[in-house]
mmCIF file of all heavy atoms in Angstrom:
data_model
loop_
_atom_site.group_PDB
_atom_site.id
_atom_site.type_symbol
_atom_site.label_atom_id
_atom_site.label_comp_id
_atom_site.label_asym_id
_atom_site.label_seq_id
_atom_site.Cartn_x
_atom_site.Cartn_y
_atom_site.Cartn_z
ATOM 1 N N LYS U 231 -2.411 -54.653 -1.579
ATOM 2 C CA LYS U 231 -2.366 -55.049 -0.170
ATOM 3 C C LYS U 231 -1.634 -56.396 -0.015
ATOM 4 O O LYS U 231 -0.946 -56.653 0.956
ATOM 5 C CB LYS U 231 -3.770 -55.140 0.387
ATOM 6 C CG LYS U 231 -3.808 -55.271 1.912
ATOM 7 C CD LYS U 231 -5.217 -55.106 2.403
ATOM 8 C CE LYS U 231 -5.288 -55.356 3.919
ATOM 9 N NZ LYS U 231 -4.449 -54.414 4.671
ATOM 10 N N TYR U 257 9.359 -48.775 4.734
ATOM 11 C CA TYR U 257 9.858 -49.619 5.793
ATOM 12 C C TYR U 257 9.588 -51.069 5.435
ATOM 13 O O TYR U 257 8.627 -51.404 4.765
ATOM 14 C CB TYR U 257 9.115 -49.331 7.113
ATOM 15 C CG TYR U 257 9.520 -48.051 7.798
ATOM 16 C CD1 TYR U 257 8.915 -46.835 7.442
ATOM 17 C CD2 TYR U 257 10.450 -48.050 8.818
ATOM 18 C CE1 TYR U 257 9.279 -45.659 8.087
ATOM 19 C CE2 TYR U 257 10.835 -46.911 9.459
ATOM 20 C CZ TYR U 257 10.223 -45.709 9.092
ATOM 21 O OH TYR U 257 10.575 -44.557 9.731
ATOM 22 N N GLN U 259 8.955 -54.761 7.326
ATOM 23 C CA GLN U 259 8.725 -55.454 8.595
ATOM 24 C C GLN U 259 8.927 -56.930 8.351
ATOM 25 O O GLN U 259 8.158 -57.580 7.648
ATOM 26 C CB GLN U 259 7.297 -55.188 9.121
ATOM 27 C CG GLN U 259 7.074 -55.725 10.527
ATOM 28 C CD GLN U 259 5.755 -55.250 11.120
ATOM 29 O OE1 GLN U 259 4.752 -55.175 10.425
ATOM 30 N NE2 GLN U 259 5.772 -54.917 12.404
ATOM 31 N N PHE U 312 5.841 -51.314 4.482
ATOM 32 C CA PHE U 312 4.985 -50.202 4.867
ATOM 33 C C PHE U 312 5.504 -48.911 4.289
ATOM 34 O O PHE U 312 6.702 -48.598 4.369
ATOM 35 C CB PHE U 312 4.951 -50.056 6.403
ATOM 36 C CG PHE U 312 4.126 -51.075 7.102
ATOM 37 C CD1 PHE U 312 4.699 -52.191 7.636
ATOM 38 C CD2 PHE U 312 2.739 -50.920 7.225
ATOM 39 C CE1 PHE U 312 3.955 -53.159 8.275
ATOM 40 C CE2 PHE U 312 1.978 -51.866 7.853
ATOM 41 C CZ PHE U 312 2.586 -53.007 8.374
ATOM 42 N N ALA U 321 6.479 -32.697 19.031
ATOM 43 C CA ALA U 321 7.402 -33.660 19.633
ATOM 44 C C ALA U 321 8.567 -34.005 18.709
ATOM 45 O O ALA U 321 9.413 -34.810 19.073
ATOM 46 C CB ALA U 321 6.664 -34.929 20.048
ATOM 47 N N VAL U 323 8.969 -35.320 14.958
ATOM 48 C CA VAL U 323 8.453 -35.737 13.659
ATOM 49 C C VAL U 323 7.309 -36.702 13.894
ATOM 50 O O VAL U 323 7.467 -37.645 14.668
ATOM 51 C CB VAL U 323 9.533 -36.394 12.801
ATOM 52 C CG1 VAL U 323 8.961 -36.863 11.460
ATOM 53 C CG2 VAL U 323 10.706 -35.468 12.584
ATOM 54 N N TYR U 325 4.634 -39.442 12.290
ATOM 55 C CA TYR U 325 4.510 -40.341 11.150
ATOM 56 C C TYR U 325 3.082 -40.833 10.999
ATOM 57 O O TYR U 325 2.373 -41.048 11.970
ATOM 58 C CB TYR U 325 5.402 -41.578 11.342
ATOM 59 C CG TYR U 325 6.865 -41.308 11.411
ATOM 60 C CD1 TYR U 325 7.481 -40.955 12.626
ATOM 61 C CD2 TYR U 325 7.680 -41.409 10.278
ATOM 62 C CE1 TYR U 325 8.840 -40.692 12.690
ATOM 63 C CE2 TYR U 325 9.032 -41.169 10.372
ATOM 64 C CZ TYR U 325 9.615 -40.819 11.552
ATOM 65 O OH TYR U 325 10.948 -40.573 11.624
ATOM 66 N N GLY U 328 0.916 -46.352 6.119
ATOM 67 C CA GLY U 328 -0.068 -47.049 5.316
ATOM 68 C C GLY U 328 -0.403 -48.405 5.931
ATOM 69 O O GLY U 328 0.144 -48.750 7.002
ATOM 70 N N ASN I 258 12.684 -38.263 21.224
ATOM 71 C CA ASN I 258 11.324 -38.562 21.619
ATOM 72 C C ASN I 258 11.066 -40.053 21.566
ATOM 73 O O ASN I 258 11.787 -40.816 20.911
ATOM 74 C CB ASN I 258 10.308 -37.805 20.747
ATOM 75 C CG ASN I 258 10.418 -38.180 19.284
ATOM 76 O OD1 ASN I 258 9.983 -39.240 18.887
ATOM 77 N ND2 ASN I 258 11.004 -37.303 18.487
ATOM 78 N N ARG I 260 7.809 -42.873 21.163
ATOM 79 C CA ARG I 260 6.415 -43.059 20.768
ATOM 80 C C ARG I 260 5.964 -44.475 21.012
ATOM 81 O O ARG I 260 6.752 -45.433 20.902
ATOM 82 C CB ARG I 260 6.253 -42.769 19.260
ATOM 83 C CG ARG I 260 6.417 -41.316 18.911
ATOM 84 C CD ARG I 260 6.608 -41.182 17.432
ATOM 85 N NE ARG I 260 8.007 -41.037 17.138
ATOM 86 C CZ ARG I 260 8.447 -40.435 16.061
ATOM 87 N NH1 ARG I 260 7.605 -39.991 15.160
ATOM 88 N NH2 ARG I 260 9.739 -40.331 15.823
ATOM 89 N N GLN I 264 -0.426 -51.552 16.539
ATOM 90 C CA GLN I 264 -0.510 -52.124 15.193
ATOM 91 C C GLN I 264 -1.500 -53.293 15.207
ATOM 92 O O GLN I 264 -1.187 -54.350 15.747
ATOM 93 C CB GLN I 264 0.846 -52.558 14.678
ATOM 94 C CG GLN I 264 0.814 -53.046 13.240
ATOM 95 C CD GLN I 264 2.177 -53.427 12.668
ATOM 96 O OE1 GLN I 264 3.148 -53.570 13.407
ATOM 97 N NE2 GLN I 264 2.263 -53.522 11.346
ATOM 98 N N GLY I 267 -2.564 -56.900 10.204
ATOM 99 C CA GLY I 267 -2.832 -56.507 8.833
ATOM 100 C C GLY I 267 -2.954 -55.016 8.588
ATOM 101 O O GLY I 267 -3.380 -54.609 7.510
ATOM 102 N N GLY I 269 -1.254 -50.833 9.385
ATOM 103 C CA GLY I 269 -0.026 -50.120 9.707
ATOM 104 C C GLY I 269 -0.074 -49.599 11.150
ATOM 105 O O GLY I 269 -1.154 -49.533 11.753
ATOM 106 N N ILE I 275 3.168 -39.696 22.163
ATOM 107 C CA ILE I 275 4.516 -39.190 21.832
ATOM 108 C C ILE I 275 5.024 -38.422 23.070
ATOM 109 O O ILE I 275 4.292 -37.583 23.602
ATOM 110 C CB ILE I 275 4.490 -38.237 20.636
ATOM 111 C CG1 ILE I 275 3.865 -38.896 19.417
ATOM 112 C CG2 ILE I 275 5.891 -37.777 20.316
ATOM 113 C CD1 ILE I 275 3.704 -37.931 18.251
ATOM 114 N N THR I 326 15.587 -43.422 13.730
ATOM 115 C CA THR I 326 14.339 -43.821 14.364
ATOM 116 C C THR I 326 14.364 -45.328 14.504
ATOM 117 O O THR I 326 14.395 -46.015 13.472
ATOM 118 C CB THR I 326 13.125 -43.365 13.554
ATOM 119 O OG1 THR I 326 13.089 -41.922 13.553
ATOM 120 C CG2 THR I 326 11.828 -43.875 14.156
#
Side-chain angles (χ1 to χ4, degrees):
Chain U
K231 192 170 175 60
Y257 285 85
Q259 189 170 39
F312 285 97
V323 178
Y325 297 85
Chain I
N258 61 75
R260 289 166 262 204
Q264 185 176 16
I275 304 174
T326 294

